[in-house]
Amino acid sequence: MDNQLILRAPAIEDGPRLFDLIQRSPPLELNSPYAYLLIADHFSATTVIAERGGRLIGCVTSYRRPDRPETLFIWQVAVAPGERGQGLAKQMLDALIRRRPPAWVETTISASNHASLRMFRTWAEQRRYPLQHAIGYAADLFGHQPHEEEVLYRFGPLIHQETTA
Ligand SMILES: CC(C)(COP(=O)(O)OP(=O)(O)OC[C@H]1O[C@@H](n2cnc3c(N)ncnc32)[C@H](O)[C@@H]1OP(=O)(O)O)[C@@H](O)C(=O)NCCC(=O)NCCS
């Protein structure tokens, strides 16, 4: 089996595979199969999937904020358990940014997700993307559903800065 890493935009048929990967990636919140179908279809241009030997081993889902299209909002990042710690998450983020460079990158991270925080921090530091904290989503905004606060991280401006692999 060809073991080469492939990074590409998803096709509609990848929707169920995205659902399966996120299901295997706690603490990420699993959304409906329909939501992942929409991501693979409507948001394909701002989604990266990573495959090796035909297996889906990672993904970054994102979208351009409708109110601020120069901002790319990263929604979910997942790497299959056996593939972590090898720089794949950062590689997928770089691939996404190269595709159509945004001026700003935003994401929210729950305070207890140290792996995610570390990944985003080192990714931005190594590429000299300035980090600005902004107001995210307080726990009480999630209504009756228990949910940790989501802290908003805003990186940028990214324009005219070189990305490194
Ligand atoms: C977070 C996640 C995407 C990182 O993927 P990855 O491919 O292993 O990340 P990278 O190899 O690019 O590592 C990036 C940095 O994060 C660090 N890191 C990765 N996992 C870590 C962990 N569990 N605890 C602390 N730091 C961690 C790495 O050491 C690395 O730091 P370095 O550059 O200083 O060496 C992956 O662990 C994952 O899928 N977790 C479950 C889902 C999740 O929490 N997603 C993030 C929400 S957006």
Side-chain angles (χ1 to χ4, degrees), residues 106-134:
E106 284 184 0
T107 193
T108 67
I109 303 174
S110 46
S112 66
N113 193 340
H114 302 297
S116 179
L117 187 55
R118 173 82 184 264
M119 190 276 288
F120 272 104
R121 270 188 185 283
T122 59
W123 172 75
E125 277 167 19
Q126 287 162 357
R127 287 143 190 80
R128 296 196 172 80
Y129 298 152
L131 167 61
Q132 303 175 14
H133 290 270

Side-chain angles (χ1 to χ4, degrees), residues 28 77-79 84-90 113 115-116 118-119 122:
L28 287 185
V77 183
V79 171
R84 290 178 189 163
Q86 299 167 55
L88 181 55
K90 291 192 228 175
N113 193 340
S116 179
R118 173 82 184 264
M119 190 276 288
T122 59

Side-chain angles (χ1 to χ4, degrees), residues 11 16 32 45 47 52 58 73 84 86 104 112 117-118 130 134 137 149-150 157:
S32 69
T47 296
R52 187 174 280 136
F73 183 82
R84 290 178 189 163
Q86 299 167 55
W104 302 90
S112 66
L117 187 55
R118 173 82 184 264
Y137 302 115
E149 177 192 3
E150 291 280 338

Side-chain angles (χ1 to χ4, degrees), residues 6-70:
I6 295 172
L7 300 184
R8 65 170 173 87
I12 303 176
E13 293 72 24
D14 293 310
R17 304 171 75 206
L18 284 170
F19 178 88
D20 291 344
L21 179 62
I22 300 299
Q23 193 167 34
R24 289 186 286 124
S25 305
L28 287 185
E29 197 169 19
L30 183 65
N31 295 278
S32 69
Y34 185 67
Y36 291 102
L37 209 53
L38 291 183
I39 287 166
D41 188 11
H42 300 186
F43 298 96
S44 177
T46 50
T47 296
V48 173
I49 64 172
E51 288 177 311
R52 187 174 280 136
R55 281 192 321 122
L56 184 67
I57 59 168
C59 73
V60 177
T61 63
S62 78
Y63 57 85
R64 296 267 173 170
R65 280 191 61 139
D67 55 338
R68 288 190 270 114
E70 71 283 2

